[in-house]
Amino acid sequence: MATFKKAATTQQRWRNFGCRKSVAVSLVVSVIAPLLFLAGRAGSFTSAFGHKEFTTDWASTLSHSESTRKLSALEQNFPQEALKAASTDPEPLNLNIVGQDLSSSLIQEETIDVSRTDATSYQQEDPAEHTADKLEEQKLALRTSSSEEQRDTPDNSVVGGQHDGPQLLQVKVSDSGADQIGKEESNAKENPVPEPNRRKEKKGSIHDSLIRALRDQLIMGKAYATLAQAQNNLRLLQELKVQTKEIQEILLEAETDSELPNSARSKIKYMGEILERAKAQHYDCTAMVKKLRAMLHATEQEGRMLKKQSVFLSQLAAKTIPKGLHCLSMRLSVEFYSLPPESRELPHQENLEDPNLYHYALFSDNVLATSVVINSTVSTAKDPRRHVFHLVTDKLNYGAMKMWFLANPPKGATVDVQNIDDFKWLNSSYCPVLRQLESVTMKEYYFRSNNPSVATGLKYRNPKYLSMLNHLRFYLPEIYPKLDKILFLDDDIVVQKDLTPLWSINLRGNVNGAVETCGASFHRFDKYLNFSNPLISKSFDPNACGWAYGMNIFDLRQWRDKDITGIYHRWQDMNEDRTLWKLGTLPPGLITFYNLTYSLNKHWHVLGLGYNSEVKSKDIHSAAVIHYNGNMKPWLEIGMAKYKHYWSRHVMFDHPYLQQCNINE
């Protein structure tokens, strides 16, 4: 600045004295001549522009590796017009002739990008008015930059630095790149990295490029194979088939580049050569586009078909009785009916109506699953003698269920087994569900294979929806008229803690005590009920929280007072055409016990082990009851292995009946 003021003062003094010619001569000698020399050296920069590295002459002119690296960035991004002007214009690399915005200045950034063309980005000054000032300023910039670099980096190497002095090139930073430039400058200050290492990092940032290349080659190989076959090019067709098969085998074994065999690169190279030959012989844009579209359409169709098959097979596996369980039931039934009548009764029948004991209701036709529920409950109970289990099953499994508990009585607990066919009061004149199951429309819905609703309602064709054992939970006061409280359990649960505290919970006038299952937007009423129907929309809140069956404590006195079974019957009658909800027991349960359910602590009942592979281990271990709700039951082959051991540890796999029926862990 002092030099600038001095030059300005000198200029004014010479103007006053009329000695303009002397000033021009001194400027030529002291300023323009060195700059012309520097511009002449820029000729090597122009000649080397097509190569990856600049010439040694240009690098030696600045004598610093930092300047060399920054100018190397100009090699790919600097406008050609500026380079041509460098050898002809007496000014050093003047950007005024280009009129383009660059993403950073030469001194502040190691790379310069041409972001846009804007003739107004640089305001040109009047040469006649400011020539002397401008030349002095540029000369000072060169000297300042050189002295700063020499002082900061004695070894003539600058890494990630930033200069505070005047910039050699005055450029306008584009708005879109300003934030990014700031981040890069900050990172360069905090984590300086030598240039060779930077190149290695950029190269290594592309993950699994070989895998992607193989997949691309596989797609193109299949497409060209089809075209080669259409044009009867058998030799090319054979080569493509062999190579695509080998690539498929490689991709089956490897998912990342690190897992690829050593021969992968040679395979890619060889397949690339074949594809080039195929491209030369069969490159037809229209044909290729049509073929690729056809392949995409066929793949989508196949994906949809496989998805439907998966759903069907999953539902089929869920409702199919495993061979071992069928064998167990048959053997136990034969053994039971071979006993004399006086030996068929279970012990401790006097406890069945004692309201001071802990009573459980369990409705199932699965002997093995029922035994796990009772064994796990008794093993965690503080006093098993005070626990009474009321089992209800169908006629086919009645003998097997009784025989199992006659041969394997739980430790001190009471077990009673009833046959649902003995409930004479449970008939179609009293029960709407039985009446609906006997109707023609319901039979057509379930058993007509050409019914279009079969595909969409496959889930609801599970036999459990046809069994009255599933709907018996709405008739607890009729089945146990002398009990005041009862704990309802599903047969796909495992008890891990003592459940007796549930009987001391104050339900605050409610009928049902259950764990709520709603999250942010899941398992609320609108997921189960048809709120487009006015009967539903005017009676219930769509955001009301759902709850779970599987472990429910019922106050039977409140049940009788509020006529819960009557409420259930009325809604079932209104849903005869299945427009309010689909089949099942949870939707009518939500309706029947609406505003009559007390929310239990979530640790009493953890769900999802039959469909959710991401249930947290800490939630499972802290739960009193874990529930395998879903299709993947632990006694099925499709059950999730990570959860099976919680269930299987309560199965007596060494029992003779289980071994004879090949029921193994």
Side-chain angles (χ1 to χ4, degrees):
M1 181 60 70
T3 305
F4 173 76
K5 291 181 178 179
K6 183 178 179 181
T9 306
T10 302
Q11 181 181 5
Q12 184 64 33
R13 186 182 298 114
W14 281 104
R15 284 177 180 175
N16 295 336
F17 287 100
C19 300
R20 296 181 181 272
K21 293 184 179 180
S22 300
V23 173
V25 172
S26 63
L27 287 175
V28 168
V29 174
S30 62
V31 178
I32 298 179
L35 293 179
L36 286 175
F37 174 77
L38 182 61
R41 286 300 187 114
S44 61
F45 173 74
T46 305
S47 63
F49 186 74
H51 302 284
K52 292 184 178 180
E53 301 293 339
F54 290 106
T55 62
T56 306
D57 294 337
W58 178 260
S60 61
T61 302
L62 296 180
S63 303
H64 302 292
S65 61
E66 174 66 13
S67 300
T68 303
R69 188 171 73 252
K70 292 167 183 174
L71 289 171
S72 296
L74 284 172
E75 177 184 355
Q76 297 180 358
N77 299 300
F78 205 82
Q80 293 284 354
E81 292 82 359
L83 297 176
K84 293 178 181 178
S87 60
T88 58
D89 200 317
E91 295 184 7
L93 297 176
N94 189 356
L95 296 183
N96 291 335
I97 64 171
V98 183
Q100 294 188 358
D101 284 349
L102 304 180
S103 64
S104 134
S105 68
L106 178 63
I107 299 300
Q108 289 180 331
E109 283 298 307
E110 64 183 42
T111 59
I112 297 183
D113 297 328
V114 179
S115 61
R116 65 186 181 188
T117 301
D118 186 359
T120 62
S121 298
Y122 306 98
Q123 301 296 332
Q124 298 191 15
E125 299 177 350
D126 187 358
E129 186 176 351
H130 300 289
T131 301
D133 297 345
K134 184 175 178 181
L135 291 175
E136 273 301 312
E137 185 176 354
Q138 291 178 344
K139 179 180 178 182
L140 179 61
L142 284 173
R143 291 177 179 174
T144 305
S145 175
S146 177
S147 62
E148 288 290 337
E149 290 178 356
Q150 291 176 357
R151 183 169 60 252
D152 294 342
T153 56
D155 58 347
N156 294 335
S157 63
V158 179
V159 179
Q162 181 177 0
H163 298 277
D164 296 327
Q167 298 177 358
L168 178 62
L169 298 177
Q170 298 295 329
V171 296
K172 179 180 178 181
V173 180
S174 63
D175 295 337
S176 60
D179 295 338
Q180 183 65 26
I181 290 171
K183 294 178 181 178
E184 291 175 356
E185 288 178 353
S186 177
N187 292 337
K189 289 179 182 179
E190 298 174 2
N191 303 307
V193 181
E195 180 67 17
N197 292 343
R198 291 179 187 268
R199 289 174 183 157
K200 290 181 181 178
E201 288 179 2
K202 290 181 181 179
K203 183 178 180 181
S205 63
I206 303 176
H207 300 294
D208 303 327
S209 57
L210 297 181
I211 289 288
R212 291 200 299 272
L214 285 169
R215 289 172 179 166
D216 292 343
Q217 287 186 340
L218 180 62
I219 295 172
M220 295 304 298
K222 290 181 177 180
Y224 279 123
T226 304
L227 293 175
Q229 184 177 11
Q231 297 184 11
N232 202 26
N233 192 339
L234 301 182
R235 181 178 178 181
L236 178 61
L237 174 63
Q238 183 63 24
E239 285 184 307
L240 288 170
K241 282 186 175 181
V242 172
Q243 291 304 312
T244 52
K245 183 178 180 180
E246 292 180 0
I247 291 177
Q248 281 179 322
E249 292 174 353
I250 292 175
L251 291 175
L252 286 175
E253 300 294 332
E255 294 183 357
T256 61
D257 285 358
S258 59
E259 298 174 353
L260 288 172
N262 296 331
S263 61
R265 292 182 180 273
S266 60
K267 293 284 185 186
I268 293 175
K269 182 178 179 181
Y270 183 59
M271 185 61 171
E273 295 173 355
I274 297 177
L275 290 176
E276 283 297 323
R277 285 194 283 112
K279 179 180 178 181
Q281 299 178 34
H282 301 286
Y283 189 72
D284 184 348
C285 287
T286 304
M288 281 296 295
V289 168
K290 288 182 179 179
K291 183 56 189 174
L292 290 174
R293 284 179 178 174
M295 290 174 63
L296 179 62
H297 179 72
T299 303
E300 291 176 347
Q301 288 286 93
E302 185 179 3
R304 284 192 290 267
M305 181 187 68
L306 291 175
K307 185 176 181 181
K308 289 182 179 180
Q309 288 181 352
S310 175
V311 172
F312 174 79
L313 292 175
S314 175
Q315 297 295 336
L316 183 63
K319 66 184 182 181
T320 301
I321 300 175
K323 183 179 178 180
L325 294 184
H326 182 71
C327 168
L328 178 63
S329 181
M330 293 298 101
R331 285 185 174 274
L332 290 171
S333 296
V334 171
E335 189 74 17
F336 175 77
Y337 289 109
S338 66
L339 295 175
E342 61 272 12
S343 301
R344 298 178 183 176
E345 295 300 322
L346 292 164
H348 309 300
Q349 295 298 297
E350 67 278 6
N351 295 331
L352 298 181
E353 296 181 350
D354 187 348
N356 297 317
L357 301 180
Y358 304 111
H359 294 266
Y360 301 82
L362 180 58
F363 310 141
S364 175
D365 57 0
N366 189 326
V367 176
L368 193 62
T370 302
S371 69
V372 169
V373 175
I374 294 179
N375 290 342
S376 62
T377 305
V378 171
S379 66
T380 58
K382 295 180 179 179
D383 187 2
R385 295 174 300 175
R386 294 179 57 81
H387 294 260
V388 182
F389 297 90
H390 301 266
L391 309 182
V392 179
T393 187
D394 56 17
K395 185 177 181 178
L396 181 63
N397 294 282
Y398 173 73
M401 196 77 73
K402 290 195 75 171
M403 186 64 210
W404 177 266
F405 290 105
L406 282 171
N408 307 282
K411 301 175 183 179
T414 301
V415 177
D416 179 49
V417 180
Q418 293 178 279
N419 183 359
I420 191 173
D421 292 339
D422 293 337
F423 299 155
K424 303 302 180 183
W425 50 268
L426 193 65
N427 50 57
S428 58
S429 61
Y430 175 68
C431 178
V433 172
L434 278 176
R435 184 169 62 253
Q436 292 168 9
L437 289 175
E438 294 175 357
S439 66
V440 176
T441 56
M442 190 68 72
K443 291 179 180 179
E444 182 178 348
Y445 176 80
Y446 274 109
F447 304 113
R448 287 285 183 89
S449 59
N450 59 348
N451 192 338
S453 63
V454 167
T456 57
L458 185 62
K459 171 183 176 181
Y460 301 100
R461 302 184 74 223
N462 193 310
K464 72 178 183 179
Y465 296 113
L466 292 173
S467 174
M468 272 307 299
L469 289 174
N470 199 42
H471 294 268
L472 208 57
R473 64 193 69 189
F474 294 103
Y475 301 96
L476 292 176
E478 285 86 345
I479 303 172
Y480 312 111
K482 295 185 178 180
L483 298 181
D484 296 331
K485 269 191 176 182
I486 196 165
L487 183 66
F488 172 79
L489 298 176
D490 271 342
D491 63 357
D492 54 353
I493 62 105
V494 173
V495 178
Q496 300 187 127
K497 295 182 180 179
D498 183 28
L499 300 181
T500 54
L502 286 170
W503 275 264
S504 60
I505 292 178
N506 182 8
L507 299 182
R508 300 178 183 177
N510 292 296
V511 179
N512 174 29
V515 171
E516 292 182 339
T517 58
C518 58
S521 60
F522 301 102
H523 300 293
R524 297 186 181 272
F525 272 43
D526 61 346
K527 302 297 180 183
Y528 302 100
L529 306 177
N530 179 19
F531 275 87
S532 63
N533 190 297
L535 283 175
I536 296 294
S537 60
K538 71 180 181 181
S539 303
F540 306 101
D541 178 9
N543 293 317
C545 192
W547 45 267
Y549 268 127
M551 189 215 71
N552 306 77
I553 184 73
F554 289 109
D555 188 333
L556 299 184
R557 288 175 296 184
Q558 292 289 339
W559 187 309
R560 298 183 187 100
D561 293 342
K562 293 179 170 57
D563 190 21
I564 297 300
T565 303
I567 296 174
Y568 165 70
H569 282 175
R570 287 193 293 273
W571 281 102
Q572 278 288 359
D573 285 333
M574 288 186 287
N575 192 47
E576 186 170 1
D577 56 356
R578 299 180 305 280
T579 58
L580 304 184
W581 69 86
K582 293 186 180 293
L583 299 177
T585 56
L586 183 55
L590 296 176
I591 289 176
T592 302
F593 297 103
Y594 183 62
N595 290 332
L596 295 173
T597 299
Y598 177 79
S599 177
L600 300 176
N601 187 289
K602 65 178 182 179
H603 295 298
W604 279 111
H605 187 191
V606 170
L607 299 99
L609 278 70
Y611 70 92
N612 184 6
S613 61
E614 298 181 356
V615 180
K616 297 179 181 177
S617 297
K618 65 177 183 179
D619 293 339
I620 295 176
H621 295 150
S622 64
V625 171
I626 55 176
H627 194 171
Y628 293 83
N629 58 311
N631 287 334
M632 291 179 263
K633 305 298 185 186
W635 56 84
L636 299 176
E637 291 186 2
I638 62 174
M640 284 184 276
K642 64 184 294 186
Y643 302 141
K644 276 190 175 181
H645 67 279
Y646 298 109
W647 183 84
S648 60
R649 63 189 177 191
H650 297 287
V651 179
M652 296 182 291
F653 289 104
D654 57 347
H655 195 282
Y657 285 149
L658 270 64
Q659 292 181 349
Q660 292 170 11
C661 293
N662 288 327
I663 299 176
N664 303 309
E665 189 171 2

